Amino acid sequence: MDLLIVEQDSTQTEIYELAFGEHFTVHTASNMLEAVTNIQEHDISIVITDWKIGKTKASIFCEQLDASQPMALPVVIVVSDEGSDDTLREAFNAGVSHYITKPYNVLSFTETVIGVKHQIEIMKQMRADNADTREVAQTALSQAAIYGTGMEIVSALNACNDIHAMSKNILTTLRFNGVHAAIQYRDENGTTSYDTDMSFCDETTEKVFTVLHDQGRIYRFGKRLMLNDTDVSLLIKHVAREDPVIHDAILDMGAKLVPAINARFNTLRQQQALSATHADISSVINQIRQIVISQAQEKVRVAKHVSESIQDSFHMLEMTEAQEAFFMQLIESQLEARDEVAEIQTVDDTLQAVLARLGPQLESQADSKTQSNNAQDDDPIYQDVEFF
Protein backbone atom coordinates (compact mmCIF):
# COMPACT_ATOMS: atom_id res chain seq x y z
CA MET A 1 0.00 0.00 0.00
CA ASP A 2 1.31 3.47 -0.95
CA LEU A 3 1.69 6.28 1.59
CA LEU A 4 2.37 9.91 0.62
CA ILE A 5 4.14 12.20 3.08
CA VAL A 6 3.79 15.94 2.37
CA GLU A 7 6.32 17.72 4.59
CA GLN A 8 8.73 20.65 4.16
CA ASP A 9 10.91 19.63 7.10
CA SER A 10 13.34 16.94 5.92
CA THR A 11 13.90 15.73 9.50
CA GLN A 12 10.18 15.19 10.05
CA THR A 13 9.98 13.47 6.69
CA GLU A 14 12.73 11.07 7.76
CA ILE A 15 10.90 10.36 11.02
CA TYR A 16 7.75 9.46 9.09
CA GLU A 17 9.74 7.20 6.76
CA LEU A 18 11.31 5.36 9.69
CA ALA A 19 7.95 4.92 11.36
CA PHE A 20 6.01 3.67 8.33
CA GLY A 21 8.66 2.32 5.94
CA GLU A 22 8.02 -1.33 6.86
CA HIS A 23 4.24 -0.97 6.46
CA PHE A 24 3.98 1.11 3.29
CA THR A 25 5.60 2.07 0.05
CA VAL A 26 6.48 5.63 1.02
CA HIS A 27 6.39 8.63 -1.36
CA THR A 28 7.41 12.14 -0.31
CA ALA A 29 6.63 15.67 -1.48
CA SER A 30 7.72 19.06 -0.15
CA ASN A 31 4.76 21.07 -1.45
CA MET A 32 1.11 20.60 -2.35
CA LEU A 33 1.48 20.71 -6.14
CA GLU A 34 4.19 18.05 -6.07
CA ALA A 35 1.93 15.98 -3.80
CA VAL A 36 -1.00 16.24 -6.25
CA THR A 37 1.29 15.03 -9.02
CA ASN A 38 2.24 12.02 -6.89
CA ILE A 39 -1.43 11.21 -6.30
CA GLN A 40 -2.10 11.32 -10.03
CA GLU A 41 0.91 9.14 -10.89
CA HIS A 42 0.73 6.58 -8.07
CA ASP A 43 -1.97 4.56 -6.34
CA ILE A 44 -1.80 6.55 -3.10
CA SER A 45 -4.01 5.22 -0.29
CA ILE A 46 -3.05 7.53 2.60
CA VAL A 47 -1.74 11.11 2.67
CA ILE A 48 -0.04 12.56 5.77
CA THR A 49 0.23 16.32 5.48
CA ASP A 50 0.16 19.65 7.30
CA TRP A 51 -3.12 21.58 6.94
CA LYS A 52 -1.41 24.42 5.12
CA ILE A 53 1.86 24.52 3.24
CA GLY A 54 2.58 27.87 1.73
CA LYS A 55 -0.73 29.28 0.56
CA THR A 56 -2.25 25.91 -0.31
CA LYS A 57 -4.40 23.91 2.11
CA ALA A 58 -4.73 20.15 2.40
CA SER A 59 -8.28 20.42 1.06
CA ILE A 60 -6.65 20.26 -2.39
CA PHE A 61 -6.20 16.52 -1.86
CA CYS A 62 -9.88 16.06 -1.10
CA GLU A 63 -10.68 17.61 -4.46
CA GLN A 64 -9.02 14.57 -6.05
CA LEU A 65 -11.58 12.25 -4.46
CA ASP A 66 -14.59 10.74 -6.25
CA ALA A 67 -17.53 12.30 -4.40
CA SER A 68 -19.82 9.44 -5.49
CA GLN A 69 -17.66 6.91 -3.61
CA PRO A 70 -17.94 7.26 0.18
CA MET A 71 -14.79 5.17 0.68
CA ALA A 72 -12.79 6.84 -2.05
CA LEU A 73 -9.01 7.03 -1.65
CA PRO A 74 -6.71 8.58 -0.61
CA VAL A 75 -7.48 9.00 3.08
CA VAL A 76 -6.16 12.41 4.18
CA ILE A 77 -4.59 12.64 7.66
CA VAL A 78 -3.64 16.16 8.77
CA VAL A 79 -0.90 16.75 11.35
CA SER A 80 -0.76 20.47 12.15
CA ASP A 81 0.08 23.12 14.75
CA GLU A 82 -3.24 24.83 14.01
CA GLY A 83 -5.91 23.47 16.33
CA SER A 84 -8.67 26.02 16.36
CA ASP A 85 -12.28 24.89 16.11
CA ASP A 86 -12.79 26.84 12.90
CA THR A 87 -9.79 25.16 11.27
CA LEU A 88 -10.99 21.70 12.38
CA ARG A 89 -14.47 22.33 10.98
CA GLU A 90 -13.04 23.58 7.71
CA ALA A 91 -10.80 20.52 7.43
CA PHE A 92 -13.56 18.02 8.18
CA ASN A 93 -15.98 19.81 5.86
CA ALA A 94 -13.38 19.56 3.10
CA GLY A 95 -13.15 15.77 3.53
CA VAL A 96 -10.18 15.25 5.86
CA SER A 97 -10.49 11.93 7.72
CA HIS A 98 -8.22 12.61 10.73
CA TYR A 99 -6.93 15.89 12.17
CA ILE A 100 -4.08 15.51 14.70
CA THR A 101 -2.68 18.54 16.47
CA LYS A 102 0.91 18.89 17.60
CA PRO A 103 2.38 17.86 19.87
CA TYR A 104 1.01 14.32 19.57
CA ASN A 105 1.68 10.89 21.02
CA VAL A 106 3.93 9.13 18.51
CA LEU A 107 2.70 5.63 19.41
CA SER A 108 -0.95 6.62 19.23
CA PHE A 109 -0.35 8.41 15.93
CA THR A 110 1.43 5.39 14.43
CA GLU A 111 -1.38 3.06 15.54
CA THR A 112 -3.94 5.42 14.00
CA VAL A 113 -2.21 5.32 10.61
CA ILE A 114 -1.76 1.52 10.76
CA GLY A 115 -5.43 1.21 11.76
CA VAL A 116 -6.48 3.23 8.72
CA LYS A 117 -4.37 0.91 6.58
CA HIS A 118 -6.16 -2.14 7.99
CA GLN A 119 -9.55 -0.53 7.40
CA ILE A 120 -8.63 0.19 3.79
CA GLU A 121 -7.49 -3.41 3.31
CA ILE A 122 -10.73 -4.70 4.82
CA MET A 123 -12.78 -2.46 2.55
CA LYS A 124 -10.82 -3.58 -0.51
CA GLN A 125 -11.42 -7.22 0.44
CA MET A 126 -15.11 -6.53 0.97
CA ARG A 127 -15.33 -4.88 -2.45
CA ALA A 128 -13.58 -7.86 -4.03
CA ASP A 129 -15.94 -10.24 -2.23
CA ASN A 130 -18.94 -8.19 -3.36
CA ALA A 131 -17.69 -8.27 -6.92
CA ASP A 132 -17.30 -12.05 -6.73
CA THR A 133 -20.78 -12.34 -5.22
CA ARG A 134 -22.29 -10.19 -7.96
CA GLU A 135 -20.52 -12.27 -10.59
CA VAL A 136 -21.81 -15.51 -9.09
CA ALA A 137 -25.31 -14.04 -8.81
CA GLN A 138 -25.20 -12.84 -12.40
CA THR A 139 -24.04 -16.26 -13.53
CA ALA A 140 -26.85 -17.92 -11.60
CA LEU A 141 -29.42 -15.54 -13.10
CA SER A 142 -28.07 -16.10 -16.60
CA GLN A 143 -28.20 -19.86 -16.16
CA ALA A 144 -31.69 -19.61 -14.68
CA ALA A 145 -32.79 -17.55 -17.69
CA ILE A 146 -31.50 -20.19 -20.11
CA TYR A 147 -33.02 -23.08 -18.17
CA GLY A 148 -36.26 -21.10 -17.85
CA THR A 149 -36.24 -20.66 -21.62
CA GLY A 150 -35.92 -24.41 -22.07
CA MET A 151 -38.81 -25.07 -19.67
CA GLU A 152 -40.91 -22.45 -21.47
CA ILE A 153 -40.32 -24.20 -24.78
CA VAL A 154 -41.03 -27.71 -23.46
CA SER A 155 -44.21 -26.49 -21.78
CA ALA A 156 -45.48 -24.94 -25.02
CA LEU A 157 -44.58 -27.91 -27.24
CA ASN A 158 -47.61 -29.92 -26.09
CA ALA A 159 -49.91 -27.24 -27.52
CA CYS A 160 -48.24 -27.39 -30.94
CA ASN A 161 -49.95 -29.56 -33.57
CA ASP A 162 -47.54 -29.24 -36.50
CA ILE A 163 -43.84 -28.66 -37.01
CA HIS A 164 -44.34 -25.07 -38.14
CA ALA A 165 -45.95 -24.20 -34.79
CA MET A 166 -43.22 -26.12 -32.96
CA SER A 167 -40.49 -24.28 -34.83
CA LYS A 168 -42.07 -20.88 -34.27
CA ASN A 169 -42.29 -21.51 -30.54
CA ILE A 170 -38.74 -22.82 -30.27
CA LEU A 171 -36.90 -20.36 -32.51
CA THR A 172 -38.83 -17.26 -31.41
CA THR A 173 -38.40 -17.97 -27.70
CA LEU A 174 -34.68 -18.57 -28.18
CA ARG A 175 -34.30 -15.42 -30.29
CA PHE A 176 -35.95 -13.22 -27.67
CA ASN A 177 -33.39 -14.55 -25.18
CA GLY A 178 -30.44 -13.74 -27.43
CA VAL A 179 -29.96 -17.20 -28.98
CA HIS A 180 -30.21 -17.40 -32.77
CA ALA A 181 -30.79 -20.95 -34.00
CA ALA A 182 -32.10 -23.13 -36.83
CA ILE A 183 -33.94 -26.46 -36.63
CA GLN A 184 -34.34 -29.47 -38.92
CA TYR A 185 -36.88 -32.34 -38.89
CA ARG A 186 -36.29 -35.64 -40.69
CA ASP A 187 -38.82 -38.33 -41.61
CA GLU A 188 -39.61 -40.80 -44.39
CA ASN A 189 -40.74 -37.92 -46.62
CA GLY A 190 -37.44 -36.03 -46.40
CA THR A 191 -36.27 -33.02 -44.34
CA THR A 192 -37.82 -29.71 -43.31
CA SER A 193 -35.61 -26.94 -41.93
CA TYR A 194 -36.47 -23.52 -40.46
CA ASP A 195 -34.11 -20.63 -39.80
CA THR A 196 -34.27 -18.10 -36.94
CA ASP A 197 -36.79 -15.88 -38.76
CA MET A 198 -39.01 -18.90 -39.64
CA SER A 199 -37.92 -18.84 -43.27
CA PHE A 200 -36.69 -22.06 -44.86
CA CYS A 201 -32.95 -22.59 -44.39
CA ASP A 202 -30.61 -21.62 -47.19
CA GLU A 203 -28.38 -24.08 -49.01
CA THR A 204 -25.38 -23.45 -46.73
CA THR A 205 -27.33 -24.16 -43.53
CA GLU A 206 -28.91 -27.24 -45.11
CA LYS A 207 -25.42 -28.48 -45.91
CA VAL A 208 -24.36 -28.00 -42.26
CA PHE A 209 -27.34 -30.12 -41.14
CA THR A 210 -26.55 -32.78 -43.72
CA VAL A 211 -22.90 -33.04 -42.66
CA LEU A 212 -23.34 -32.85 -38.87
CA HIS A 213 -26.71 -34.38 -37.97
CA ASP A 214 -25.09 -37.81 -37.48
CA GLN A 215 -21.95 -36.61 -35.67
CA GLY A 216 -23.12 -37.39 -32.15
CA ARG A 217 -25.58 -35.74 -29.79
CA ILE A 218 -23.41 -32.66 -29.29
CA TYR A 219 -21.01 -31.24 -31.86
CA ARG A 220 -19.11 -27.99 -31.32
CA PHE A 221 -17.47 -26.12 -34.17
CA GLY A 222 -16.11 -22.66 -33.46
CA LYS A 223 -18.72 -20.63 -31.63
CA ARG A 224 -21.50 -22.74 -33.10
CA LEU A 225 -23.16 -25.80 -31.65
CA MET A 226 -25.10 -28.67 -33.23
CA LEU A 227 -27.45 -30.66 -30.99
CA ASN A 228 -28.74 -33.89 -32.54
CA ASP A 229 -31.34 -36.55 -31.89
CA THR A 230 -32.75 -39.30 -34.09
CA ASP A 231 -35.15 -37.16 -36.13
CA VAL A 232 -34.40 -33.57 -35.02
CA SER A 233 -31.31 -31.32 -35.02
CA LEU A 234 -30.94 -27.87 -33.46
CA LEU A 235 -28.17 -25.58 -34.74
CA ILE A 236 -27.10 -22.78 -32.36
CA LYS A 237 -25.81 -20.17 -34.82
CA HIS A 238 -25.12 -17.17 -32.59
CA VAL A 239 -25.41 -16.15 -28.92
CA ALA A 240 -25.76 -12.41 -28.31
CA ARG A 241 -23.84 -12.44 -25.02
CA GLU A 242 -20.16 -13.29 -25.16
CA ASP A 243 -20.14 -15.23 -21.90
CA PRO A 244 -18.64 -18.76 -21.69
CA VAL A 245 -20.96 -19.55 -18.78
CA ILE A 246 -23.96 -18.80 -21.00
CA HIS A 247 -22.59 -21.03 -23.74
CA ASP A 248 -22.17 -23.91 -21.26
CA ALA A 249 -25.70 -23.35 -19.93
CA ILE A 250 -27.10 -23.39 -23.47
CA LEU A 251 -25.26 -26.63 -24.17
CA ASP A 252 -26.64 -28.21 -21.00
CA MET A 253 -30.18 -26.95 -21.64
CA GLY A 254 -30.09 -27.87 -25.34
CA ALA A 255 -28.90 -31.41 -24.60
CA LYS A 256 -32.16 -31.92 -22.67
CA LEU A 257 -34.38 -29.82 -24.93
CA VAL A 258 -33.68 -31.55 -28.24
CA PRO A 259 -34.83 -35.03 -27.04
CA ALA A 260 -38.09 -33.41 -25.88
CA ILE A 261 -38.53 -31.79 -29.32
CA ASN A 262 -37.74 -35.13 -30.97
CA ALA A 263 -40.34 -36.91 -28.81
CA ARG A 264 -43.01 -34.33 -29.63
CA PHE A 265 -42.16 -34.55 -33.33
CA ASN A 266 -42.61 -38.33 -33.31
CA THR A 267 -45.87 -37.94 -31.38
CA LEU A 268 -47.16 -35.62 -34.09
CA ARG A 269 -46.16 -38.18 -36.72
CA GLN A 270 -48.12 -40.84 -34.83
CA GLN A 271 -51.12 -38.53 -34.61
CA GLN A 272 -50.93 -37.88 -38.33
CA ALA A 273 -50.74 -41.65 -38.96
CA LEU A 274 -53.82 -42.16 -36.78
CA SER A 275 -55.68 -39.45 -38.66
CA ALA A 276 -54.77 -41.07 -41.98
CA THR A 277 -55.84 -44.48 -40.62
CA HIS A 278 -59.14 -43.03 -39.44
CA ALA A 279 -59.77 -41.59 -42.90
CA ASP A 280 -58.87 -44.90 -44.60
CA ILE A 281 -61.16 -46.92 -42.31
CA SER A 282 -64.02 -44.50 -42.96
CA SER A 283 -63.46 -44.93 -46.68
CA VAL A 284 -63.38 -48.75 -46.34
CA ILE A 285 -66.64 -48.78 -44.37
CA ASN A 286 -68.35 -46.66 -47.00
CA GLN A 287 -67.11 -49.02 -49.72
CA ILE A 288 -68.37 -52.06 -47.79
CA ARG A 289 -71.79 -50.49 -47.40
CA GLN A 290 -71.97 -49.76 -51.10
CA ILE A 291 -70.92 -53.33 -51.91
CA VAL A 292 -73.53 -54.78 -49.53
CA ILE A 293 -76.30 -52.65 -51.03
CA SER A 294 -75.19 -53.51 -54.56
CA GLN A 295 -74.96 -57.24 -53.82
CA ALA A 296 -78.35 -57.28 -52.11
CA GLN A 297 -79.96 -55.60 -55.10
CA GLU A 298 -78.21 -57.98 -57.49
CA LYS A 299 -79.31 -61.04 -55.48
CA VAL A 300 -82.94 -59.87 -55.52
CA ARG A 301 -82.80 -59.46 -59.28
CA VAL A 302 -81.13 -62.85 -59.85
CA ALA A 303 -83.50 -64.66 -57.49
CA LYS A 304 -86.50 -63.16 -59.21
CA HIS A 305 -85.17 -64.09 -62.63
CA VAL A 306 -84.33 -67.67 -61.56
CA SER A 307 -87.72 -68.13 -59.91
CA GLU A 308 -89.54 -66.95 -63.02
CA SER A 309 -87.46 -69.23 -65.29
CA ILE A 310 -88.02 -72.29 -63.12
CA GLN A 311 -91.72 -71.55 -62.77
CA ASP A 312 -92.06 -71.39 -66.55
CA SER A 313 -90.26 -74.73 -66.89
CA PHE A 314 -92.68 -76.45 -64.47
CA HIS A 315 -95.49 -76.17 -67.04
CA MET A 316 -93.36 -78.10 -69.54
CA LEU A 317 -92.88 -80.89 -66.99
CA GLU A 318 -96.66 -81.12 -66.47
CA MET A 319 -96.40 -80.86 -62.64
CA THR A 320 -99.38 -80.32 -60.44
CA GLU A 321 -99.92 -77.01 -58.70
CA ALA A 322 -98.94 -78.54 -55.34
CA GLN A 323 -95.65 -79.81 -56.77
CA GLU A 324 -94.92 -76.47 -58.38
CA ALA A 325 -95.59 -74.63 -55.09
CA PHE A 326 -93.36 -77.07 -53.16
CA PHE A 327 -90.41 -76.70 -55.48
CA MET A 328 -90.77 -72.91 -55.71
CA GLN A 329 -90.77 -72.57 -51.95
CA LEU A 330 -87.72 -74.85 -51.70
CA ILE A 331 -85.76 -72.91 -54.30
CA GLU A 332 -86.61 -69.48 -52.84
CA SER A 333 -85.68 -70.58 -49.30
CA GLN A 334 -82.31 -71.86 -50.51
CA LEU A 335 -81.57 -68.68 -52.40
CA GLU A 336 -82.39 -66.58 -49.34
CA ALA A 337 -80.27 -68.85 -47.15
CA ARG A 338 -77.20 -68.00 -49.22
CA ASP A 339 -76.97 -64.59 -47.52
CA GLU A 340 -73.52 -63.12 -46.82
CA VAL A 341 -74.81 -59.90 -45.36
CA ALA A 342 -74.33 -61.19 -41.78
CA GLU A 343 -70.62 -61.82 -42.36
CA ILE A 344 -70.13 -58.43 -43.95
CA GLN A 345 -72.07 -56.86 -41.11
CA THR A 346 -69.60 -58.38 -38.63
CA VAL A 347 -66.69 -56.72 -40.48
CA ASP A 348 -68.62 -53.47 -40.56
CA ASP A 349 -69.26 -53.60 -36.80
CA THR A 350 -65.57 -54.20 -36.10
CA LEU A 351 -64.49 -51.24 -38.21
CA GLN A 352 -67.16 -49.05 -36.65
CA ALA A 353 -65.77 -49.93 -33.20
CA VAL A 354 -62.29 -48.87 -34.32
CA LEU A 355 -63.68 -45.58 -35.59
CA ALA A 356 -65.50 -45.06 -32.30
CA ARG A 357 -62.22 -45.39 -30.42
CA LEU A 358 -60.24 -43.14 -32.74
CA GLY A 359 -62.90 -40.49 -33.27
CA PRO A 360 -62.95 -38.81 -29.82
CA GLN A 361 -59.15 -38.71 -29.67
CA LEU A 362 -58.84 -37.06 -33.05
CA GLU A 363 -61.64 -34.62 -32.26
CA SER A 364 -59.93 -33.56 -29.01
CA GLN A 365 -56.67 -33.02 -30.91
CA ALA A 366 -58.50 -30.90 -33.47
CA ASP A 367 -60.12 -28.81 -30.71
CA SER A 368 -56.72 -28.40 -29.03
CA LYS A 369 -55.19 -27.24 -32.30
CA THR A 370 -57.97 -24.70 -32.83
CA GLN A 371 -57.59 -23.32 -29.31
CA SER A 372 -53.81 -23.16 -29.71
CA ASN A 373 -54.12 -21.25 -33.00
CA ASN A 374 -56.60 -18.81 -31.47
CA ALA A 375 -54.31 -18.25 -28.48
CA GLN A 376 -51.36 -17.56 -30.76
CA ASP A 377 -53.41 -15.06 -32.75
CA ASP A 378 -54.58 -13.23 -29.60
CA ASP A 379 -51.34 -13.34 -27.61
CA PRO A 380 -48.06 -13.15 -29.55
CA ILE A 381 -45.50 -15.62 -28.27
CA TYR A 382 -43.11 -12.94 -27.12
CA GLN A 383 -45.61 -11.84 -24.49
CA ASP A 384 -45.30 -15.22 -22.77
CA VAL A 385 -41.52 -15.21 -22.48
CA GLU A 386 -40.18 -14.50 -19.00
CA PHE A 387 -36.95 -12.54 -18.76
CA PHE A 388 -34.48 -12.61 -15.86
Side-chain angles (χ1 to χ4, degrees):
M1 185 178 295
D2 289 16
L3 169 68
L4 174 61
I5 298 170
V6 186
E7 179 61 53
Q8 290 180 312
D9 187 343
S10 59
T11 302
Q12 184 63 49
T13 300
E14 187 176 351
I15 293 172
Y16 285 145
E17 289 178 334
L18 291 174
F20 301 116
E22 61 178 305
H23 303 286
F24 298 92
T25 299
V26 178
H27 304 269
T28 61
S30 59
N31 58 71
M32 296 296 193
L33 294 179
E34 184 182 352
V36 170
T37 301
N38 271 273
I39 291 174
Q40 294 172 346
E41 294 178 353
H42 303 284
D43 186 18
I44 304 297
S45 298
I46 301 175
V47 176
I48 299 176
T49 180
D50 201 333
W51 171 240
K52 191 175 182 180
I53 298 179
K55 295 182 179 181
T56 308
K57 297 179 180 179
S59 57
I60 192 174
F61 302 122
C62 301
E63 295 172 0
Q64 310 300 314
L65 303 179
D66 184 355
S68 64
Q69 299 291 333
M71 299 303 297
L73 298 178
V75 173
V76 179
I77 300 175
V78 172
V79 182
S80 177
D81 292 325
E82 299 183 39
S84 66
D85 293 344
D86 291 339
T87 302
L88 289 173
R89 279 194 294 270
E90 183 183 359
F92 289 134
N93 288 334
V96 170
S97 297
H98 296 75
Y99 196 107
I100 300 172
T101 57
K102 298 178 181 179
Y104 57 84
N105 184 294
V106 176
L107 181 60
S108 176
F109 172 67
T110 304
E111 290 178 348
T112 297
V113 176
I114 300 301
V116 171
K117 175 189 176 185
H118 290 161
Q119 291 174 2
I120 293 173
E121 290 174 340
I122 291 171
M123 290 303 301
K124 286 184 176 179
Q125 185 60 48
M126 290 177 63
R127 288 176 180 173
D129 292 343
N130 287 339
D132 291 341
T133 301
R134 285 194 297 271
E135 183 178 353
V136 171
Q138 184 60 46
T139 298
L141 288 174
S142 299
Q143 291 176 333
I146 295 300
Y147 297 141
T149 299
M151 294 177 65
E152 179 81 18
I153 293 172
V154 172
S155 175
L157 282 179
N158 291 329
C160 299
N161 290 280
D162 55 60
I163 62 173
H164 185 274
M166 287 177 58
S167 302
K168 183 177 181 180
N169 172 267
I170 295 163
L171 299 177
T172 305
T173 304
L174 289 174
R175 186 173 73 250
F176 282 129
N177 285 272
V179 181
H180 299 268
I183 192 167
Q184 182 184 78
Y185 305 91
R186 298 176 291 275
D187 59 18
E188 60 277 0
N189 298 320
T191 64
T192 304
S193 306
Y194 293 100
D195 212 331
T196 300
D197 58 357
M198 285 304 298
S199 63
F200 291 111
C201 291
D202 57 28
E203 184 178 350
T204 301
T205 306
E206 289 283 4
K207 185 67 174 178
V208 173
F209 279 120
T210 301
V211 172
L212 299 180
H213 80 268
D214 58 354
Q215 297 301 306
R217 291 180 61 248
I218 300 172
Y219 188 90
R220 276 184 164 178
F221 55 113
K223 293 185 178 181
R224 293 188 170 193
L225 178 67
M226 179 72 80
L227 300 163
N228 298 311
D229 209 308
T230 308
D231 304 305
V232 173
S233 293
L234 182 67
L235 172 62
I236 306 299
K237 302 173 66 176
H238 174 68
V239 180
R241 294 178 56 187
E242 293 295 332
D243 185 347
V245 174
I246 297 299
H247 286 266
D248 292 340
I250 291 171
L251 188 154
D252 188 33
M253 179 272 290
K256 298 174 178 62
L257 175 62
V258 171
I261 300 173
N262 194 83
R264 181 56 183 165
F265 174 56
N266 286 324
T267 300
L268 288 178
R269 293 168 63 189
Q270 293 171 359
Q271 292 174 356
Q272 292 169 355
L274 287 175
S275 298
T277 302
H278 183 272
D280 290 342
I281 292 176
S282 297
S283 176
V284 168
I285 290 176
N286 289 330
Q287 292 177 14
I288 290 174
R289 285 175 177 167
Q290 294 298 322
I291 291 172
V292 169
I293 293 172
S294 177
Q295 286 184 346
Q297 292 174 345
E298 180 65 19
K299 286 179 67 175
V300 170
R301 188 186 65 78
V302 171
K304 183 177 179 181
H305 176 72
V306 171
S307 297
E308 291 174 351
S309 298
I310 293 174
Q311 189 173 9
D312 291 340
S313 68
F314 285 163
H315 298 294
M316 298 174 63
L317 298 174
E318 297 181 353
M319 290 184 178
T320 64
E321 291 183 3
Q323 290 175 328
E324 290 181 9
F326 173 77
F327 281 112
M328 285 301 299
Q329 184 178 1
L330 178 64
I331 292 170
E332 288 177 357
S333 64
Q334 289 298 316
L335 287 173
E336 291 175 357
R338 304 296 296 172
D339 191 357
E340 298 175 353
V341 174
E343 296 178 358
I344 296 177
Q345 184 63 43
T346 300
V347 176
D348 181 72
D349 292 342
T350 302
L351 293 175
Q352 287 288 359
V354 173
L355 285 177
R357 288 194 298 270
L358 290 177
Q361 296 295 327
L362 295 174
E363 288 176 4
S364 65
Q365 291 169 11
D367 292 341
S368 174
K369 182 176 182 179
T370 301
Q371 294 173 2
S372 175
N373 290 338
N374 291 338
Q376 290 181 3
D377 292 338
D378 295 339
D379 298 315
I381 189 171
Y382 62 83
Q383 293 182 355
D384 297 330
V385 179
E386 294 183 3
F387 294 90
F388 289 82

